[in-house]
Amino acid sequence: MYNEKVMDHFQNPRNVGEIQDADGVGEIGNARCGDIMKIFIKVKEGRIEDIKFFTFGCGAAIASSSALTEMVKGKSLEEALSVTNEDVARELGGLPSVKMHCSNLAADALHKAIEDYKSRCRN
Amino acid sequence: MAKRKVYLDHGATTPLRKEVLDEMMPYLTNSFGNPSSIHSFGREARVAVEKARQQVADAIGASPNEIIFTSGGTEADNMAIQGVARALSSRGKHIITSAIEHHAVLDACQSLEKEGFSLTYLPVDKYGLVQLKDLEKAIRPETILVTIMFANNEIGTVQDVAGIGKICRSRGVYFNTDAVQAIGQLDVNVQEQNIDLLSMSAHKFYGPKGIGVLYKRQGVKLKPIIFGGGQERKFRPGTEYVAGIVGMGKAIELAVAEMETKTAKMRELRDYFVAGLLEIGGVTLNGHPQQRLPNNVNVSIHNAEGEALLLNLDMEGVAASSGSACTSGSLEPSHVLRAIGLKHEVAHGSLRLTLGKDTEREDIDYTLKVLKPIVARLRKITGTLVRE
Ligand SMILES: Cc1ncc(COP(=O)(O)O)c(C=O)c1O
Ligand code: FES
C-alpha cells in the first residue's frame, strides 16, 4: 500500500517531539477523519533552526510530517512557506490518492506555525 | 519469542478447511455435471447439491426446501430485503433495521428508501444492543419487515434474537436476520428463534468464498431480484456453483458439530486476550463484555491510530483490522463505532482481533508482546495532542 520511503518515515520518523521554547506553534485538526498534527518551530535569522512535530493519524500522516520537517529544516521562512502538500507527497515518492489529504495536514500545520511566529514578532 | 504469522482477522474471512476442500475436489474435476441435466453427470451433481441443502437445513433447524443457495452473504441479505419489499409493497412500505448493520443490509435499505420506502434505523446502546421496547414502538401497521443482525461483525455484540423474533411473530411482521457472523459460533435455530429469513456465508466458517444461503421460511412471500432459469425454485436462477455448495454443506456440518468445544476454547482465549490488552493501559473494550461473539475482540487503544497500528502489527506478522476513519476509504470512522457513541478520537484507535478455531494461547501472547512496544512508539508520536 505504501512505498518503502513512506514506510521508512513511518517507522523511523524524524523530528518527533516538542520544542519547549518554540517561536511558533501550529496545530491542525482534520475535519474529515479526525487526525491532528502539531508543529513546533524555532526560528533564527529568518531560518527554521529547529522543527519538531506530534501527529495523531495514519501512516501517511506520520510519514508526511516527518518528511516535511526534514524538507524545511534550515530553510528560510519564505522557502518553507512555498512547500506544498504535493511537494511533500513527491518527496515521499508518491502517496495513495486517498491519502493526499494527510500530506495537506503537514503543510497546513507548518504554515500555521510560521504565521504564529510572525504574529508573535508583530506584538 | 520467535517471529510468527498470526492471523487474527477471522471476522473478515477464514481459511478453507482441508476436509472441505476434499469434499469439493471431485466437483471441480471429474464430477462436473450441471445439476439441471438429466444424464448421469447431471444427476450426480444434483445429488451432491441436495445433500448439501440438507446439511445446511439441519444446522439451523430448517427444512431443505427452505434453503436457497446464493453467491454469498451480500446477495442473501439483498434477496431478503429487496425480495420482501417487492412482494409486500402493496401492503406497506415501512422497514425497520438497526444502525449497526453490515453495509449489505444498510445499503440495500437505503436504496429502498430512495424508491419511497420509509426506514427506521433503531439506535443501539453503548454496548451495541437494540432495545426490544424501541422495536415494539417502531412497528406500525404498514411495517413489512424487521431486519436486525444476529451478531455484529465489528464489535461482536449478539442481539436478543429470540426476543426480537417473538415480537415480530406476534405482530405479524417478517423477521430477517443477517447471521453471517453467527453460524458456527452461536446457537441458531430458526424455529425456536422465530426467524423468517436468515443470511449466511460459507467463507466465515471455513468454507469457500462466493457461496452463501438465504433461509426462507416456508410460506414467506418473496419476489426474486434476479431472473433467468428455474434453479433454486426460481428465487435464485443461474447454474449452481456445485463445488461451493458441496463445500458449504460440509463446512456447516463440521462447524456445528465442533461448535461447543471450539467456542468454549475461543471464549476463554478471548477473555484472556481482552484482559491482556486492558493491561496495556489507556485501552477500552468496544461491544458487550459478555453478550459477544466467542471469537471477537474489539478495543480502542487511545492515542494511537488504527491504520498505524495495523501496519506495525502486519510487520510483526499479525493480521487484524480497524474501524478507524483512516482505514475506511471514506475517511469516516465506522458507523458501528459511531452508533455506540464512541468519540472520534476513541474510534480512531479501534482494533478488531478475531480469533479462529485453531488460534492458540501462544498466538495471543505473541500478539500482546509485539503490540506493547508498537503502542508505546505510536503514543510517543501522538505526544500531547489528545487531551482526555
Ligand atoms: C455481518 C455480515 N454480513 C454480510 C457479509 C457479507 O458476506 P459476503 O462476503 O459473503 O458477501 C459479511 C462479511 O463481510 C458480514 O460480516
Ligand atoms: S491521517 Fe487519517 S487518513 Fe491519513
Side-chain angles (χ1 to χ4, degrees):
Chain A
M1 169 173 167
Y2 294 129
N3 66 40
E4 266 176 42
K5 188 131 190 210
V6 177
M7 286 308 281
D8 176 48
H9 275 280
F10 167 58
Q11 277 300 88
N12 312 293
R14 303 17 157 194
N15 305 309
V16 173
E18 187 171 8
I19 300 175
Q20 288 293 347
D21 57 343
D23 298 321
V25 179
E27 183 171 330
I28 279 283
N30 185 337
R32 289 196 74 188
C33 66
D35 309 288
I36 329 175
M37 192 177 289
K38 193 168 185 176
I39 285 187
F40 306 83
I41 52 170
K42 194 86 192 143
V43 181
K44 200 172 172 188
E45 288 161 13
R47 288 188 178 274
I48 298 183
E49 188 190 44
D50 197 10
I51 178 163
K52 291 217 181 301
F53 78 92
F54 285 137
T55 290
F56 181 37
C58 73
I62 292 171
S64 296
S65 16
S66 167
L68 174 83
T69 58
E70 255 193 355
M71 286 166 78
V72 302
K73 201 166 175 174
K75 292 269 163 63
S76 73
L77 294 180
E78 281 59 46
E79 287 170 315
L81 275 174
S82 71
V83 172
T84 64
N85 68 317
E86 279 94 1
D87 295 332
V88 176
R90 204 172 307 120
E91 172 71 16
L92 284 168
L95 284 172
S97 57
V98 290
K99 294 291 183 176
M100 279 307 288
H101 73 281
C102 316
S103 56
N104 269 336
L105 271 180
D108 290 351
L110 174 66
H111 286 200
K112 255 192 143 167
I114 294 175
E115 255 170 54
D116 180 44
Y117 164 74
K118 286 185 172 167
S119 79
R120 288 192 203 184
C121 290
R122 280 195 293 274
N123 297 332
Chain B
M1 232 181 280
K3 189 156 168 169
R4 55 198 284 156
K5 278 265 184 197
V6 180
Y7 182 78
L8 293 177
D9 204 11
H10 294 85
T13 195
T14 57
L16 187 67
R17 283 178 80 144
K18 173 76 169 62
E19 305 95 305
V20 172
L21 178 64
D22 288 346
E23 291 275 317
M24 292 171 69
M25 262 332 248
Y27 302 94
L28 292 164
T29 50
N30 296 332
S31 307
F32 60 85
N34 185 326
S36 299
S37 304
I38 59 164
H39 47 61
S40 66
F41 295 84
R43 291 199 307 274
E44 188 184 11
R46 170 58 56 202
V47 168
V49 166
E50 296 315 315
K51 178 182 166 198
R53 197 186 305 282
Q54 184 73 53
Q55 286 167 315
V56 173
D58 289 346
I60 59 169
S63 309
N65 64 357
E66 298 174 315
I67 302 300
I68 303 165
F69 287 106
T70 69
S71 70
T74 301
E75 191 183 58
D77 282 328
N78 272 275
M79 266 171 70
I81 294 162
Q82 298 192 48
V84 168
R86 305 269 174 269
L88 298 187
S89 61
S90 60
R91 222 186 74 191
K93 285 192 147 193
H94 179 235
I95 295 172
I96 299 169
T97 187
S98 85
I100 60 165
E101 297 298 309
H102 189 273
H103 276 292
V105 169
L106 277 186
D107 291 16
C109 287
Q110 277 159 15
S111 90
L112 287 172
E113 222 169 356
K114 288 200 191 92
E115 287 178 32
F117 284 80
S118 99
L119 263 293
T120 299
Y121 299 90
L122 295 176
V124 292
D125 67 8
K126 64 177 178 176
Y127 300 120
L129 283 173
V130 170
Q131 305 301 301
L132 295 186
K133 61 177 189 328
D134 289 345
L135 171 62
E136 297 212 63
K137 268 187 263 166
I139 297 176
R140 318 198 287 238
E142 64 274 21
T143 306
I144 52 171
L145 178 68
V146 170
T147 176
I148 293 174
M149 70 198 314
F150 210 115
N152 184 267
N153 47 302
E154 287 186 45
I155 56 172
T157 301
V158 180
Q159 301 298 333
D160 177 3
V161 173
I164 296 169
K166 207 162 146 189
I167 293 170
C168 293
R169 190 60 56 90
S170 75
R171 302 283 291 270
V173 180
Y174 287 160
F175 172 37
N176 172 50
T177 189
D178 175 339
V180 168
Q181 295 285 338
I183 301 292
Q185 291 211 62
L186 302 167
D187 287 316
V188 178
N189 187 300
V190 292
Q191 308 282 343
E192 288 166 12
Q193 292 157 337
N194 289 314
I195 296 166
D196 297 303
L197 297 135
L198 174 148
S199 305
M200 56 174 109
S201 179
H203 72 98
K204 307 285 185 183
F205 48 86
Y206 302 87
K209 294 171 182 59
I211 186 76
V213 154
L214 175 66
Y215 154 80
K216 181 183 89 69
R217 188 171 57 79
Q218 178 111 46
V220 165
K221 291 194 172 53
L222 192 79
K223 282 229 170 108
I225 57 170
I226 46 174
F227 303 91
Q231 293 94 342
E232 299 303 285
R233 292 169 291 125
K234 275 190 160 293
F235 286 112
R236 208 288 187 170
T239 301
E240 297 87 344
Y241 171 25
V242 178
I245 290 172
V246 167
M248 182 165 189
K250 182 69 181 176
I252 202 166
E253 186 183 86
L254 291 170
V256 170
E258 295 172 0
M259 190 169 88
E260 230 179 274
T261 52
K262 295 291 183 190
T263 56
K265 180 182 147 200
M266 286 198 291
R267 273 201 180 85
E268 203 184 307
L269 278 181
R270 175 196 70 189
D271 295 342
Y272 171 75
F273 200 1
V274 169
L277 288 163
L278 297 182
E279 241 172 56
I280 294 175
V283 176
T284 44
L285 180 70
N286 298 321
H288 198 281
Q290 289 93 35
Q291 233 168 296
R292 71 187 300 135
L293 286 168
N295 78 336
N296 178 287
V297 174
N298 189 314
V299 290
S300 280
I301 300 186
H302 300 219
N303 296 356
E305 186 281 319
E307 189 212 76
L309 288 165
L310 293 187
L311 287 171
N312 276 139
L313 281 171
D314 185 46
M315 280 184 246
E316 301 294 340
V318 179
S321 75
S322 170
S324 156
C326 300
T327 57
S328 69
S330 67
L331 302 181
E332 290 283 337
S334 107
H335 65 285
V336 178
L337 300 179
R338 271 181 292 160
I340 59 171
L342 288 200
K343 285 195 289 191
H344 227 303
E345 62 268 26
V346 178
H348 226 43
S350 78
L351 193 61
R352 181 187 76 164
L353 304 132
T354 38
L355 320 186
K357 67 183 180 61
D358 300 320
T359 302
E360 297 296 342
R361 186 173 286 252
E362 290 73 39
D363 297 318
I364 308 299
D365 288 335
Y366 174 80
T367 304
L368 286 169
K369 185 184 147 260
V370 298
L371 184 59
K372 278 173 196 160
I374 292 172
V375 172
R377 186 181 88 80
L378 292 176
R379 281 181 174 166
K380 218 175 198 167
I381 300 174
T382 303
T384 52
L385 283 181
V386 189
R387 291 167 276 281
E388 283 178 66

